[in-house]
Amino acid sequence: MSGRTFLVTGATGTVGRQVVARLSGVGTSVRALARDPRAVEAGDGIVAVAGDLTAPDGLRASLTGVDAVFLVWPFDTADGAHEVLEAIAEQARRVVYLSSATPRDGERRVEEAIVDSGLEWTFLRPHVFASNALRWARQISEEGTVRAPYGAATTAPLHEHDLAAVAVRALTDDGHAGASYRLTGPEALTQAEQVRIIGEVIDRPVVWTETPEETARQELLAQGWPPAVVDGVLRAQAELVTTPGPLTSTVESVTGAPARTFRAWARDHARNFLAGGPN
């Protein structure tokens, strides 16, 4: 591992910062790319670099001597992806791309561009992030009640630490080229069960209160969500009531360690639910 250098894009995001920390922990040289490098958490072997995926020419300096790249593509379309991948391929031989379980058109086109780039590639396809539960933080802190539809919607929430652990294996080890990893947590839970677990972890009574779909729809629209996105989210949740989301053992098969439970994730983020949001 000594002497190898990795570039992590989205280095200040929920997943990217975990990838940076894990790479640093195994003694590699890590370049953490961020628009504001001051937001990058310090650590051994971590170099914060200013960069923007919309400016591939400026990105080239950050890529000099890099062996592999963790790529987070934060845009709705694949515009500019070919140029970024050309810059990556000039230096690196491997890219690990954070995709999704059901890639949208932009994500699919980025995947196609990666395959065409000639780089070794691995796609990470997480299903549902445990961190989605943070949307309930204010209600839990202020009311002890989560009011939403589809409490019976069932998924296997994934801890961001486990996603990062898989990413680091794919970045640093051979044998992952051409793999598309479907990633979930280790247990299927309804939304109502997740809320109950959060309450147990923070030692406060927290309940799920079922509300009509239209109420939730109007609230999301009032928050500025596009109507098509709102309808898609609510439709997906309704489907998860009758057809639970998948459950995979990929985290353990790749990393050798069992995926963390939702309860473990809730413990790691208990302060957020006590404070009513990120702190």
Side-chain angles (χ1 to χ4, degrees):
M1 199 74 66
S2 176
R4 297 173 66 185
T5 301
F6 300 87
L7 178 71
V8 177
T9 71
T12 59
T14 300
V15 178
R17 70 179 60 196
Q18 298 298 332
V19 174
V20 169
R22 283 180 172 273
L23 285 171
S24 171
V26 296
T28 67
S29 174
V30 189
R31 294 181 192 163
L33 187 76
R35 289 184 175 180
D36 182 2
R38 294 171 300 179
V40 173
E41 296 179 8
D44 291 341
I46 298 173
V47 177
V49 293
D52 189 333
L53 294 178
T54 63
D57 288 340
L59 186 64
R60 283 181 165 83
S62 302
L63 286 162
T64 303
V66 163
D67 296 283
V69 174
F70 178 68
L71 180 63
V72 178
W73 190 257
F75 313 112
D76 292 332
T77 73
D79 295 347
H82 283 282
E83 292 79 5
V84 167
L85 289 164
E86 286 176 2
I88 292 173
E90 289 172 6
Q91 292 288 335
R93 67 183 182 92
R94 178 178 298 172
V95 63
V96 175
Y97 172 52
L98 179 56
S99 186
S100 67
T102 54
R104 294 169 293 181
D105 182 65
E107 290 166 326
R108 283 196 301 271
R109 292 183 182 278
V110 172
E111 290 183 355
E112 291 168 359
I114 290 172
V115 172
D116 292 342
S117 70
L119 289 156
E120 288 184 12
W121 55 265
T122 305
F123 297 153
L124 306 184
R125 298 184 180 276
H127 282 264
V128 174
F129 288 102
S131 59
N132 288 352
L134 291 172
R135 69 188 185 276
W136 302 324
R138 184 191 58 77
Q139 290 189 74
I140 288 173
S141 175
E142 296 179 1
E143 304 177 41
T145 299
V146 173
R147 306 177 191 277
Y150 304 120
T154 303
T155 61
L158 176 68
H159 198 309
E160 61 270 12
H161 285 218
D162 289 325
L163 177 53
V166 173
V168 168
R169 288 298 183 112
L171 286 165
T172 60
D173 296 345
D174 293 330
H176 302 283
S180 297
Y181 289 131
R182 298 172 68 228
L183 302 168
T184 73
E187 56 188 346
L189 297 168
T190 66
Q191 294 195 102
E193 287 170 335
Q194 293 175 44
V195 165
R196 174 183 56 77
I197 289 169
I198 292 168
E200 291 171 356
V201 166
I202 65 174
D203 196 26
R204 291 184 181 179
V206 182
V207 298
W208 179 277
T209 300
E210 192 76 13
T211 59
E213 177 187 294
E214 184 58 26
T215 300
R217 185 176 190 276
Q218 293 304 319
E219 289 175 351
L220 292 172
L221 291 173
Q223 294 171 21
W225 288 44
V229 173
V230 170
D231 292 339
V233 167
L234 293 173
R235 182 168 56 249
Q237 289 184 350
E239 292 172 356
L240 289 167
V241 172
T242 55
T243 306
L247 184 64
T248 75
S249 58
T250 310
V251 169
E252 184 167 9
S253 66
V254 172
T255 68
R260 293 165 175 80
T261 64
F262 182 80
R263 185 178 294 274
W265 177 88
R267 290 194 191 102
D268 290 341
H269 295 272
R271 67 185 184 281
N272 299 117
F273 294 103
L274 291 168
N279 60 1

